[in-house]
Amino acid sequence: AALMKGRMESHRGKKILLLGSGTFEPYSFGATHKEAQITAVDLSRKSLAKAKWRCRLRAVTNVRFVQSEIVDFAHETNERYDYIHSFGVLHHLPEPAEGFRAIAKLLKPEGFARVMVYEKISRERTQDIQKLGRLLGFTNQTRQNISDLKDLILNLPKGHPMKVSFMTNPEGLNPAGFVDAFLHAQEISF
């Protein structure tokens, strides 16, 4: 059960959609919403494989996995969902508005969506690091580019705004998070 719209609601029989599910959300939602039917959609085959592995490891069986782009999935299915979760995904679409329209199409009339997109001001320094990476030719996500950009940032003077932004961003602690935050090919903030 969960507190939704000011009241406790059971997840029994509810349909939950994870758009841009990544590697952990399918397991997390499946384990905590055992009586729900969960669909995890992600573009990355590798992310879905890791998510499936996590679910199998913990015997989570109520998750269906779909490799697809969000907008394509919305066009290809007639299903509607009680709850849609899309956290940190739509701002990576070439046209984020299409992602919002896809969510509206997929959501049941009395459904609930939780969507997080990057906010312009809070991403300003991160986007400065992204611009620096592009200016230096770090347009692909190789280990060498990750290492070189990290080294460059860490060698900036103490208190430099880009260094402070990097040091306070937890995404920079692991390679996948670093790529997502600083070398992602597409990002539009709101």
Side-chain angles (χ1 to χ4, degrees), residues 52-87:
K52 286 178 188 177
W53 174 82
R54 281 195 167 116
C55 287
R56 278 194 310 270
L57 184 67
R58 299 291 184 171
V60 171
T61 60
N62 59 331
V63 180
R64 176 176 69 105
F65 296 91
V66 178
Q67 183 186 4
S68 179
E69 290 191 9
I70 292 168
V71 175
D72 292 344
F73 177 78
H75 290 302
E76 294 165 2
T77 187
N78 292 320
E79 292 187 68
R80 299 296 174 263
Y81 296 86
D82 298 290
Y83 176 71
I84 298 176
H85 180 85
S86 182
F87 197 84

PDB file of all heavy atoms in Angstrom, residues 52-87:
ATOM      1  N   LYS A  52      16.945  -7.214 -15.269  1.00  0.00           N
ATOM      2  CA  LYS A  52      16.389  -8.578 -15.240  1.00  0.00           C
ATOM      3  C   LYS A  52      17.182  -9.463 -14.283  1.00  0.00           C
ATOM      4  O   LYS A  52      16.609 -10.242 -13.519  1.00  0.00           O
ATOM      5  CB  LYS A  52      16.423  -9.198 -16.639  1.00  0.00           C
ATOM      6  CG  LYS A  52      15.404  -8.666 -17.584  1.00  0.00           C
ATOM      7  CD  LYS A  52      15.570  -9.339 -18.960  1.00  0.00           C
ATOM      8  CE  LYS A  52      14.684  -8.693 -19.986  1.00  0.00           C
ATOM      9  NZ  LYS A  52      14.865  -9.274 -21.324  1.00  0.00           N
ATOM     10  N   TRP A  53      18.499  -9.342 -14.336  1.00  0.00           N
ATOM     11  CA  TRP A  53      19.367 -10.122 -13.444  1.00  0.00           C
ATOM     12  C   TRP A  53      19.053  -9.811 -11.978  1.00  0.00           C
ATOM     13  O   TRP A  53      18.929 -10.722 -11.163  1.00  0.00           O
ATOM     14  CB  TRP A  53      20.835  -9.820 -13.776  1.00  0.00           C
ATOM     15  CG  TRP A  53      21.793 -10.471 -12.828  1.00  0.00           C
ATOM     16  CD1 TRP A  53      22.242 -11.758 -12.866  1.00  0.00           C
ATOM     17  CD2 TRP A  53      22.418  -9.854 -11.698  1.00  0.00           C
ATOM     18  NE1 TRP A  53      23.107 -11.986 -11.824  1.00  0.00           N
ATOM     19  CE2 TRP A  53      23.229 -10.827 -11.084  1.00  0.00           C
ATOM     20  CE3 TRP A  53      22.370  -8.576 -11.145  1.00  0.00           C
ATOM     21  CZ2 TRP A  53      23.989 -10.570  -9.953  1.00  0.00           C
ATOM     22  CZ3 TRP A  53      23.125  -8.314 -10.016  1.00  0.00           C
ATOM     23  CH2 TRP A  53      23.920  -9.307  -9.435  1.00  0.00           C
ATOM     24  N   ARG A  54      18.918  -8.524 -11.660  1.00  0.00           N
ATOM     25  CA  ARG A  54      18.595  -8.150 -10.274  1.00  0.00           C
ATOM     26  C   ARG A  54      17.255  -8.753  -9.841  1.00  0.00           C
ATOM     27  O   ARG A  54      17.116  -9.219  -8.721  1.00  0.00           O
ATOM     28  CB  ARG A  54      18.539  -6.630 -10.140  1.00  0.00           C
ATOM     29  CG  ARG A  54      19.874  -5.988 -10.034  1.00  0.00           C
ATOM     30  CD  ARG A  54      19.748  -4.541  -9.537  1.00  0.00           C
ATOM     31  NE  ARG A  54      21.059  -4.066  -9.168  1.00  0.00           N
ATOM     32  CZ  ARG A  54      21.688  -3.062  -9.771  1.00  0.00           C
ATOM     33  NH1 ARG A  54      21.109  -2.418 -10.765  1.00  0.00           N
ATOM     34  NH2 ARG A  54      22.883  -2.695  -9.375  1.00  0.00           N
ATOM     35  N   CYS A  55      16.279  -8.702 -10.724  1.00  0.00           N
ATOM     36  CA  CYS A  55      14.968  -9.267 -10.391  1.00  0.00           C
ATOM     37  C   CYS A  55      15.053 -10.782 -10.197  1.00  0.00           C
ATOM     38  O   CYS A  55      14.485 -11.316  -9.243  1.00  0.00           O
ATOM     39  CB  CYS A  55      13.938  -8.915 -11.471  1.00  0.00           C
ATOM     40  SG  CYS A  55      13.422  -7.184 -11.434  1.00  0.00           S
ATOM     41  N   ARG A  56      15.753 -11.472 -11.090  1.00  0.00           N
ATOM     42  CA  ARG A  56      15.908 -12.929 -10.949  1.00  0.00           C
ATOM     43  C   ARG A  56      16.631 -13.284  -9.657  1.00  0.00           C
ATOM     44  O   ARG A  56      16.270 -14.238  -8.967  1.00  0.00           O
ATOM     45  CB  ARG A  56      16.672 -13.509 -12.142  1.00  0.00           C
ATOM     46  CG  ARG A  56      15.818 -13.753 -13.350  1.00  0.00           C
ATOM     47  CD  ARG A  56      16.513 -14.629 -14.394  1.00  0.00           C
ATOM     48  NE  ARG A  56      17.850 -14.188 -14.732  1.00  0.00           N
ATOM     49  CZ  ARG A  56      18.158 -13.335 -15.710  1.00  0.00           C
ATOM     50  NH1 ARG A  56      17.206 -12.834 -16.470  1.00  0.00           N
ATOM     51  NH2 ARG A  56      19.402 -12.988 -15.948  1.00  0.00           N
ATOM     52  N   LEU A  57      17.665 -12.524  -9.333  1.00  0.00           N
ATOM     53  CA  LEU A  57      18.465 -12.770  -8.135  1.00  0.00           C
ATOM     54  C   LEU A  57      17.605 -12.745  -6.869  1.00  0.00           C
ATOM     55  O   LEU A  57      17.811 -13.526  -5.948  1.00  0.00           O
ATOM     56  CB  LEU A  57      19.584 -11.728  -8.040  1.00  0.00           C
ATOM     57  CG  LEU A  57      20.583 -11.881  -6.914  1.00  0.00           C
ATOM     58  CD1 LEU A  57      21.420 -13.148  -7.126  1.00  0.00           C
ATOM     59  CD2 LEU A  57      21.491 -10.659  -6.853  1.00  0.00           C
ATOM     60  N   ARG A  58      16.610 -11.881  -6.839  1.00  0.00           N
ATOM     61  CA  ARG A  58      15.747 -11.710  -5.664  1.00  0.00           C
ATOM     62  C   ARG A  58      14.351 -12.285  -5.866  1.00  0.00           C
ATOM     63  O   ARG A  58      13.449 -11.997  -5.088  1.00  0.00           O
ATOM     64  CB  ARG A  58      15.644 -10.231  -5.295  1.00  0.00           C
ATOM     65  CG  ARG A  58      16.949  -9.592  -4.932  1.00  0.00           C
ATOM     66  CD  ARG A  58      17.454 -10.131  -3.634  1.00  0.00           C
ATOM     67  NE  ARG A  58      18.676  -9.435  -3.266  1.00  0.00           N
ATOM     68  CZ  ARG A  58      19.258  -9.570  -2.113  1.00  0.00           C
ATOM     69  NH1 ARG A  58      18.737 -10.368  -1.206  1.00  0.00           N
ATOM     70  NH2 ARG A  58      20.355  -8.924  -1.845  1.00  0.00           N
ATOM     71  N   ALA A  59      14.176 -13.080  -6.907  1.00  0.00           N
ATOM     72  CA  ALA A  59      12.898 -13.753  -7.198  1.00  0.00           C
ATOM     73  C   ALA A  59      11.734 -12.766  -7.350  1.00  0.00           C
ATOM     74  O   ALA A  59      10.618 -13.040  -6.922  1.00  0.00           O
ATOM     75  CB  ALA A  59      12.589 -14.804  -6.140  1.00  0.00           C
ATOM     76  N   VAL A  60      12.005 -11.635  -7.963  1.00  0.00           N
ATOM     77  CA  VAL A  60      10.961 -10.663  -8.285  1.00  0.00           C
ATOM     78  C   VAL A  60      10.426 -11.039  -9.665  1.00  0.00           C
ATOM     79  O   VAL A  60      11.162 -11.002 -10.644  1.00  0.00           O
ATOM     80  CB  VAL A  60      11.519  -9.216  -8.271  1.00  0.00           C
ATOM     81  CG1 VAL A  60      10.499  -8.234  -8.808  1.00  0.00           C
ATOM     82  CG2 VAL A  60      11.955  -8.841  -6.864  1.00  0.00           C
ATOM     83  N   THR A  61       9.151 -11.413  -9.714  1.00  0.00           N
ATOM     84  CA  THR A  61       8.593 -11.967 -10.954  1.00  0.00           C
ATOM     85  C   THR A  61       7.455 -11.140 -11.557  1.00  0.00           C
ATOM     86  O   THR A  61       6.870 -11.559 -12.544  1.00  0.00           O
ATOM     87  CB  THR A  61       8.080 -13.405 -10.697  1.00  0.00           C
ATOM     88  OG1 THR A  61       7.072 -13.340  -9.686  1.00  0.00           O
ATOM     89  CG2 THR A  61       9.210 -14.322 -10.267  1.00  0.00           C
ATOM     90  N   ASN A  62       7.141 -10.018 -10.976  1.00  0.00           N
ATOM     91  CA  ASN A  62       6.004  -9.229 -11.450  1.00  0.00           C
ATOM     92  C   ASN A  62       6.409  -8.066 -12.361  1.00  0.00           C
ATOM     93  O   ASN A  62       5.684  -7.091 -12.497  1.00  0.00           O
ATOM     94  CB  ASN A  62       5.191  -8.702 -10.263  1.00  0.00           C
ATOM     95  CG  ASN A  62       6.016  -7.825  -9.335  1.00  0.00           C
ATOM     96  OD1 ASN A  62       7.217  -7.984  -9.210  1.00  0.00           O
ATOM     97  ND2 ASN A  62       5.354  -6.894  -8.676  1.00  0.00           N
ATOM     98  N   VAL A  63       7.579  -8.187 -12.994  1.00  0.00           N
ATOM     99  CA  VAL A  63       8.068  -7.130 -13.874  1.00  0.00           C
ATOM    100  C   VAL A  63       8.213  -7.681 -15.289  1.00  0.00           C
ATOM    101  O   VAL A  63       8.815  -8.732 -15.505  1.00  0.00           O
ATOM    102  CB  VAL A  63       9.432  -6.576 -13.404  1.00  0.00           C
ATOM    103  CG1 VAL A  63       9.910  -5.467 -14.336  1.00  0.00           C
ATOM    104  CG2 VAL A  63       9.354  -6.069 -11.968  1.00  0.00           C
ATOM    105  N   ARG A  64       7.652  -6.959 -16.238  1.00  0.00           N
ATOM    106  CA  ARG A  64       7.803  -7.261 -17.667  1.00  0.00           C
ATOM    107  C   ARG A  64       8.760  -6.216 -18.236  1.00  0.00           C
ATOM    108  O   ARG A  64       8.643  -5.021 -17.947  1.00  0.00           O
ATOM    109  CB  ARG A  64       6.437  -7.168 -18.355  1.00  0.00           C
ATOM    110  CG  ARG A  64       6.468  -7.361 -19.858  1.00  0.00           C
ATOM    111  CD  ARG A  64       5.059  -7.356 -20.443  1.00  0.00           C
ATOM    112  NE  ARG A  64       4.425  -6.065 -20.378  1.00  0.00           N
ATOM    113  CZ  ARG A  64       4.261  -5.250 -21.426  1.00  0.00           C
ATOM    114  NH1 ARG A  64       4.689  -5.610 -22.620  1.00  0.00           N
ATOM    115  NH2 ARG A  64       3.670  -4.086 -21.287  1.00  0.00           N
ATOM    116  N   PHE A  65       9.708  -6.654 -19.051  1.00  0.00           N
ATOM    117  CA  PHE A  65      10.741  -5.766 -19.590  1.00  0.00           C
ATOM    118  C   PHE A  65      10.511  -5.525 -21.076  1.00  0.00           C
ATOM    119  O   PHE A  65      10.260  -6.459 -21.833  1.00  0.00           O
ATOM    120  CB  PHE A  65      12.123  -6.382 -19.380  1.00  0.00           C
ATOM    121  CG  PHE A  65      12.478  -6.521 -17.931  1.00  0.00           C
ATOM    122  CD1 PHE A  65      12.172  -7.682 -17.238  1.00  0.00           C
ATOM    123  CD2 PHE A  65      13.104  -5.490 -17.250  1.00  0.00           C
ATOM    124  CE1 PHE A  65      12.483  -7.805 -15.902  1.00  0.00           C
ATOM    125  CE2 PHE A  65      13.421  -5.606 -15.913  1.00  0.00           C
ATOM    126  CZ  PHE A  65      13.112  -6.768 -15.233  1.00  0.00           C
ATOM    127  N   VAL A  66      10.621  -4.244 -21.485  1.00  0.00           N
ATOM    128  CA  VAL A  66      10.428  -3.869 -22.880  1.00  0.00           C
ATOM    129  C   VAL A  66      11.563  -2.927 -23.290  1.00  0.00           C
ATOM    130  O   VAL A  66      11.755  -1.889 -22.656  1.00  0.00           O
ATOM    131  CB  VAL A  66       9.073  -3.147 -23.094  1.00  0.00           C
ATOM    132  CG1 VAL A  66       8.913  -2.714 -24.551  1.00  0.00           C
ATOM    133  CG2 VAL A  66       7.913  -4.021 -22.635  1.00  0.00           C
ATOM    134  N   GLN A  67      12.285  -3.310 -24.348  1.00  0.00           N
ATOM    135  CA  GLN A  67      13.303  -2.410 -24.879  1.00  0.00           C
ATOM    136  C   GLN A  67      12.655  -1.543 -25.945  1.00  0.00           C
ATOM    137  O   GLN A  67      12.191  -2.043 -26.978  1.00  0.00           O
ATOM    138  CB  GLN A  67      14.475  -3.184 -25.478  1.00  0.00           C
ATOM    139  CG  GLN A  67      15.551  -2.228 -25.967  1.00  0.00           C
ATOM    140  CD  GLN A  67      16.670  -2.914 -26.711  1.00  0.00           C
ATOM    141  OE1 GLN A  67      16.650  -4.111 -26.945  1.00  0.00           O
ATOM    142  NE2 GLN A  67      17.654  -2.124 -27.095  1.00  0.00           N
ATOM    143  N   SER A  68      12.595  -0.248 -25.683  1.00  0.00           N
ATOM    144  CA  SER A  68      11.942   0.666 -26.614  1.00  0.00           C
ATOM    145  C   SER A  68      12.246   2.100 -26.219  1.00  0.00           C
ATOM    146  O   SER A  68      12.561   2.386 -25.065  1.00  0.00           O
ATOM    147  CB  SER A  68      10.426   0.447 -26.584  1.00  0.00           C
ATOM    148  OG  SER A  68       9.772   1.336 -27.470  1.00  0.00           O
ATOM    149  N   GLU A  69      12.107   2.987 -27.182  1.00  0.00           N
ATOM    150  CA  GLU A  69      12.097   4.410 -26.871  1.00  0.00           C
ATOM    151  C   GLU A  69      10.725   4.737 -26.276  1.00  0.00           C
ATOM    152  O   GLU A  69       9.723   4.099 -26.616  1.00  0.00           O
ATOM    153  CB  GLU A  69      12.351   5.238 -28.124  1.00  0.00           C
ATOM    154  CG  GLU A  69      13.770   5.113 -28.627  1.00  0.00           C
ATOM    155  CD  GLU A  69      14.096   6.126 -29.709  1.00  0.00           C
ATOM    156  OE1 GLU A  69      13.287   7.043 -29.958  1.00  0.00           O
ATOM    157  OE2 GLU A  69      15.168   5.988 -30.311  1.00  0.00           O
ATOM    158  N   ILE A  70      10.660   5.724 -25.418  1.00  0.00           N
ATOM    159  CA  ILE A  70       9.426   6.074 -24.713  1.00  0.00           C
ATOM    160  C   ILE A  70       8.300   6.424 -25.680  1.00  0.00           C
ATOM    161  O   ILE A  70       7.187   5.902 -25.567  1.00  0.00           O
ATOM    162  CB  ILE A  70       9.698   7.241 -23.735  1.00  0.00           C
ATOM    163  CG1 ILE A  70      10.604   6.761 -22.599  1.00  0.00           C
ATOM    164  CG2 ILE A  70       8.410   7.830 -23.209  1.00  0.00           C
ATOM    165  CD1 ILE A  70      11.167   7.873 -21.749  1.00  0.00           C
ATOM    166  N   VAL A  71       8.578   7.292 -26.631  1.00  0.00           N
ATOM    167  CA  VAL A  71       7.537   7.740 -27.563  1.00  0.00           C
ATOM    168  C   VAL A  71       7.065   6.575 -28.433  1.00  0.00           C
ATOM    169  O   VAL A  71       5.855   6.405 -28.658  1.00  0.00           O
ATOM    170  CB  VAL A  71       8.050   8.929 -28.408  1.00  0.00           C
ATOM    171  CG1 VAL A  71       7.038   9.326 -29.463  1.00  0.00           C
ATOM    172  CG2 VAL A  71       8.369  10.123 -27.489  1.00  0.00           C
ATOM    173  N   ASP A  72       7.995   5.743 -28.897  1.00  0.00           N
ATOM    174  CA  ASP A  72       7.620   4.577 -29.697  1.00  0.00           C
ATOM    175  C   ASP A  72       6.739   3.626 -28.895  1.00  0.00           C
ATOM    176  O   ASP A  72       5.741   3.107 -29.396  1.00  0.00           O
ATOM    177  CB  ASP A  72       8.860   3.822 -30.188  1.00  0.00           C
ATOM    178  CG  ASP A  72       9.669   4.615 -31.202  1.00  0.00           C
ATOM    179  OD1 ASP A  72       9.135   5.598 -31.760  1.00  0.00           O
ATOM    180  OD2 ASP A  72      10.842   4.252 -31.416  1.00  0.00           O
ATOM    181  N   PHE A  73       7.105   3.386 -27.644  1.00  0.00           N
ATOM    182  CA  PHE A  73       6.315   2.495 -26.786  1.00  0.00           C
ATOM    183  C   PHE A  73       4.882   3.006 -26.665  1.00  0.00           C
ATOM    184  O   PHE A  73       3.929   2.235 -26.762  1.00  0.00           O
ATOM    185  CB  PHE A  73       6.963   2.373 -25.402  1.00  0.00           C
ATOM    186  CG  PHE A  73       6.172   1.531 -24.449  1.00  0.00           C
ATOM    187  CD1 PHE A  73       6.202   0.147 -24.533  1.00  0.00           C
ATOM    188  CD2 PHE A  73       5.384   2.122 -23.477  1.00  0.00           C
ATOM    189  CE1 PHE A  73       5.449  -0.638 -23.665  1.00  0.00           C
ATOM    190  CE2 PHE A  73       4.631   1.355 -22.605  1.00  0.00           C
ATOM    191  CZ  PHE A  73       4.668  -0.031 -22.701  1.00  0.00           C
ATOM    192  N   ALA A  74       4.729   4.306 -26.464  1.00  0.00           N
ATOM    193  CA  ALA A  74       3.385   4.896 -26.324  1.00  0.00           C
ATOM    194  C   ALA A  74       2.560   4.689 -27.585  1.00  0.00           C
ATOM    195  O   ALA A  74       1.351   4.454 -27.507  1.00  0.00           O
ATOM    196  CB  ALA A  74       3.488   6.378 -25.989  1.00  0.00           C
ATOM    197  N   HIS A  75       3.205   4.765 -28.740  1.00  0.00           N
ATOM    198  CA  HIS A  75       2.494   4.575 -30.010  1.00  0.00           C
ATOM    199  C   HIS A  75       2.151   3.103 -30.261  1.00  0.00           C
ATOM    200  O   HIS A  75       1.159   2.808 -30.926  1.00  0.00           O
ATOM    201  CB  HIS A  75       3.312   5.116 -31.186  1.00  0.00           C
ATOM    202  CG  HIS A  75       3.410   6.605 -31.203  1.00  0.00           C
ATOM    203  ND1 HIS A  75       2.314   7.441 -31.241  1.00  0.00           N
ATOM    204  CD2 HIS A  75       4.493   7.418 -31.169  1.00  0.00           C
ATOM    205  CE1 HIS A  75       2.713   8.699 -31.245  1.00  0.00           C
ATOM    206  NE2 HIS A  75       4.026   8.716 -31.199  1.00  0.00           N
ATOM    207  N   GLU A  76       2.967   2.194 -29.741  1.00  0.00           N
ATOM    208  CA  GLU A  76       2.821   0.765 -30.045  1.00  0.00           C
ATOM    209  C   GLU A  76       1.893   0.012 -29.093  1.00  0.00           C
ATOM    210  O   GLU A  76       1.520  -1.116 -29.382  1.00  0.00           O
ATOM    211  CB  GLU A  76       4.200   0.095 -30.046  1.00  0.00           C
ATOM    212  CG  GLU A  76       5.089   0.602 -31.167  1.00  0.00           C
ATOM    213  CD  GLU A  76       6.559   0.244 -30.983  1.00  0.00           C
ATOM    214  OE1 GLU A  76       6.902  -0.441 -29.994  1.00  0.00           O
ATOM    215  OE2 GLU A  76       7.363   0.667 -31.833  1.00  0.00           O
ATOM    216  N   THR A  77       1.552   0.604 -27.956  1.00  0.00           N
ATOM    217  CA  THR A  77       0.731  -0.114 -26.986  1.00  0.00           C
ATOM    218  C   THR A  77      -0.632   0.550 -26.815  1.00  0.00           C
ATOM    219  O   THR A  77      -0.765   1.754 -26.998  1.00  0.00           O
ATOM    220  CB  THR A  77       1.435  -0.228 -25.618  1.00  0.00           C
ATOM    221  OG1 THR A  77       0.667  -1.079 -24.765  1.00  0.00           O
ATOM    222  CG2 THR A  77       1.596   1.131 -24.948  1.00  0.00           C
ATOM    223  N   ASN A  78      -1.602  -0.262 -26.449  1.00  0.00           N
ATOM    224  CA  ASN A  78      -2.932   0.255 -26.100  1.00  0.00           C
ATOM    225  C   ASN A  78      -3.152   0.219 -24.597  1.00  0.00           C
ATOM    226  O   ASN A  78      -4.232   0.557 -24.123  1.00  0.00           O
ATOM    227  CB  ASN A  78      -4.028  -0.558 -26.806  1.00  0.00           C
ATOM    228  CG  ASN A  78      -3.998  -0.331 -28.305  1.00  0.00           C
ATOM    229  OD1 ASN A  78      -3.792   0.791 -28.754  1.00  0.00           O
ATOM    230  ND2 ASN A  78      -4.179  -1.393 -29.064  1.00  0.00           N
ATOM    231  N   GLU A  79      -2.154  -0.225 -23.856  1.00  0.00           N
ATOM    232  CA  GLU A  79      -2.292  -0.337 -22.400  1.00  0.00           C
ATOM    233  C   GLU A  79      -2.316   1.047 -21.752  1.00  0.00           C
ATOM    234  O   GLU A  79      -1.725   1.997 -22.254  1.00  0.00           O
ATOM    235  CB  GLU A  79      -1.130  -1.150 -21.820  1.00  0.00           C
ATOM    236  CG  GLU A  79      -1.166  -2.604 -22.219  1.00  0.00           C
ATOM    237  CD  GLU A  79      -0.105  -3.408 -21.495  1.00  0.00           C
ATOM    238  OE1 GLU A  79      -0.236  -3.556 -20.264  1.00  0.00           O
ATOM    239  OE2 GLU A  79       0.828  -3.865 -22.159  1.00  0.00           O
ATOM    240  N   ARG A  80      -3.009   1.125 -20.611  1.00  0.00           N
ATOM    241  CA  ARG A  80      -3.046   2.330 -19.794  1.00  0.00           C
ATOM    242  C   ARG A  80      -2.616   1.949 -18.384  1.00  0.00           C
ATOM    243  O   ARG A  80      -2.864   0.832 -17.927  1.00  0.00           O
ATOM    244  CB  ARG A  80      -4.448   2.958 -19.781  1.00  0.00           C
ATOM    245  CG  ARG A  80      -4.938   3.390 -21.151  1.00  0.00           C
ATOM    246  CD  ARG A  80      -4.073   4.507 -21.740  1.00  0.00           C
ATOM    247  NE  ARG A  80      -4.441   4.830 -23.104  1.00  0.00           N
ATOM    248  CZ  ARG A  80      -3.829   4.343 -24.179  1.00  0.00           C
ATOM    249  NH1 ARG A  80      -2.840   3.498 -24.069  1.00  0.00           N
ATOM    250  NH2 ARG A  80      -4.205   4.695 -25.391  1.00  0.00           N
ATOM    251  N   TYR A  81      -2.012   2.891 -17.689  1.00  0.00           N
ATOM    252  CA  TYR A  81      -1.382   2.590 -16.404  1.00  0.00           C
ATOM    253  C   TYR A  81      -1.940   3.456 -15.286  1.00  0.00           C
ATOM    254  O   TYR A  81      -2.282   4.615 -15.489  1.00  0.00           O
ATOM    255  CB  TYR A  81       0.134   2.781 -16.525  1.00  0.00           C
ATOM    256  CG  TYR A  81       0.730   1.792 -17.503  1.00  0.00           C
ATOM    257  CD1 TYR A  81       0.772   2.072 -18.868  1.00  0.00           C
ATOM    258  CD2 TYR A  81       1.192   0.561 -17.073  1.00  0.00           C
ATOM    259  CE1 TYR A  81       1.284   1.160 -19.776  1.00  0.00           C
ATOM    260  CE2 TYR A  81       1.709  -0.364 -17.972  1.00  0.00           C
ATOM    261  CZ  TYR A  81       1.752  -0.050 -19.318  1.00  0.00           C
ATOM    262  OH  TYR A  81       2.247  -0.961 -20.211  1.00  0.00           O
ATOM    263  N   ASP A  82      -1.966   2.856 -14.086  1.00  0.00           N
ATOM    264  CA  ASP A  82      -2.423   3.560 -12.891  1.00  0.00           C
ATOM    265  C   ASP A  82      -1.358   4.531 -12.379  1.00  0.00           C
ATOM    266  O   ASP A  82      -1.676   5.579 -11.829  1.00  0.00           O
ATOM    267  CB  ASP A  82      -2.735   2.551 -11.772  1.00  0.00           C
ATOM    268  CG  ASP A  82      -3.835   1.609 -12.169  1.00  0.00           C
ATOM    269  OD1 ASP A  82      -4.989   2.073 -12.256  1.00  0.00           O
ATOM    270  OD2 ASP A  82      -3.548   0.411 -12.416  1.00  0.00           O
ATOM    271  N   TYR A  83      -0.101   4.129 -12.551  1.00  0.00           N
ATOM    272  CA  TYR A  83       1.004   4.946 -12.045  1.00  0.00           C
ATOM    273  C   TYR A  83       2.141   4.876 -13.060  1.00  0.00           C
ATOM    274  O   TYR A  83       2.508   3.798 -13.530  1.00  0.00           O
ATOM    275  CB  TYR A  83       1.477   4.421 -10.691  1.00  0.00           C
ATOM    276  CG  TYR A  83       2.676   5.140 -10.136  1.00  0.00           C
ATOM    277  CD1 TYR A  83       2.569   6.450  -9.672  1.00  0.00           C
ATOM    278  CD2 TYR A  83       3.923   4.539 -10.076  1.00  0.00           C
ATOM    279  CE1 TYR A  83       3.673   7.128  -9.173  1.00  0.00           C
ATOM    280  CE2 TYR A  83       5.033   5.202  -9.576  1.00  0.00           C
ATOM    281  CZ  TYR A  83       4.897   6.500  -9.122  1.00  0.00           C
ATOM    282  OH  TYR A  83       5.992   7.169  -8.640  1.00  0.00           O
ATOM    283  N   ILE A  84       2.681   6.038 -13.408  1.00  0.00           N
ATOM    284  CA  ILE A  84       3.829   6.111 -14.312  1.00  0.00           C
ATOM    285  C   ILE A  84       4.954   6.849 -13.592  1.00  0.00           C
ATOM    286  O   ILE A  84       4.752   7.918 -13.025  1.00  0.00           O
ATOM    287  CB  ILE A  84       3.477   6.823 -15.633  1.00  0.00           C
ATOM    288  CG1 ILE A  84       2.391   6.032 -16.376  1.00  0.00           C
ATOM    289  CG2 ILE A  84       4.728   6.978 -16.496  1.00  0.00           C
ATOM    290  CD1 ILE A  84       1.892   6.702 -17.642  1.00  0.00           C
ATOM    291  N   HIS A  85       6.123   6.234 -13.634  1.00  0.00           N
ATOM    292  CA  HIS A  85       7.314   6.790 -13.003  1.00  0.00           C
ATOM    293  C   HIS A  85       8.365   7.029 -14.086  1.00  0.00           C
ATOM    294  O   HIS A  85       8.761   6.101 -14.785  1.00  0.00           O
ATOM    295  CB  HIS A  85       7.835   5.781 -11.964  1.00  0.00           C
ATOM    296  CG  HIS A  85       9.054   6.228 -11.243  1.00  0.00           C
ATOM    297  ND1 HIS A  85       8.988   7.023 -10.124  1.00  0.00           N
ATOM    298  CD2 HIS A  85      10.364   5.994 -11.463  1.00  0.00           C
ATOM    299  CE1 HIS A  85      10.218   7.253  -9.686  1.00  0.00           C
ATOM    300  NE2 HIS A  85      11.066   6.643 -10.485  1.00  0.00           N
ATOM    301  N   SER A  86       8.774   8.281 -14.251  1.00  0.00           N
ATOM    302  CA  SER A  86       9.811   8.627 -15.217  1.00  0.00           C
ATOM    303  C   SER A  86      10.719   9.658 -14.563  1.00  0.00           C
ATOM    304  O   SER A  86      10.417  10.849 -14.529  1.00  0.00           O
ATOM    305  CB  SER A  86       9.179   9.189 -16.496  1.00  0.00           C
ATOM    306  OG  SER A  86      10.184   9.477 -17.436  1.00  0.00           O
ATOM    307  N   PHE A  87      11.809   9.183 -14.023  1.00  0.00           N
ATOM    308  CA  PHE A  87      12.668  10.026 -13.200  1.00  0.00           C
ATOM    309  C   PHE A  87      13.996  10.273 -13.924  1.00  0.00           C
ATOM    310  O   PHE A  87      14.801   9.365 -14.084  1.00  0.00           O
ATOM    311  CB  PHE A  87      12.915   9.345 -11.846  1.00  0.00           C
ATOM    312  CG  PHE A  87      13.421  10.270 -10.795  1.00  0.00           C
ATOM    313  CD1 PHE A  87      12.544  11.049 -10.054  1.00  0.00           C
ATOM    314  CD2 PHE A  87      14.777  10.376 -10.549  1.00  0.00           C
ATOM    315  CE1 PHE A  87      13.013  11.907  -9.077  1.00  0.00           C
ATOM    316  CE2 PHE A  87      15.258  11.231  -9.575  1.00  0.00           C
ATOM    317  CZ  PHE A  87      14.375  11.997  -8.846  1.00  0.00           C
TER     318      PHE A  87
END
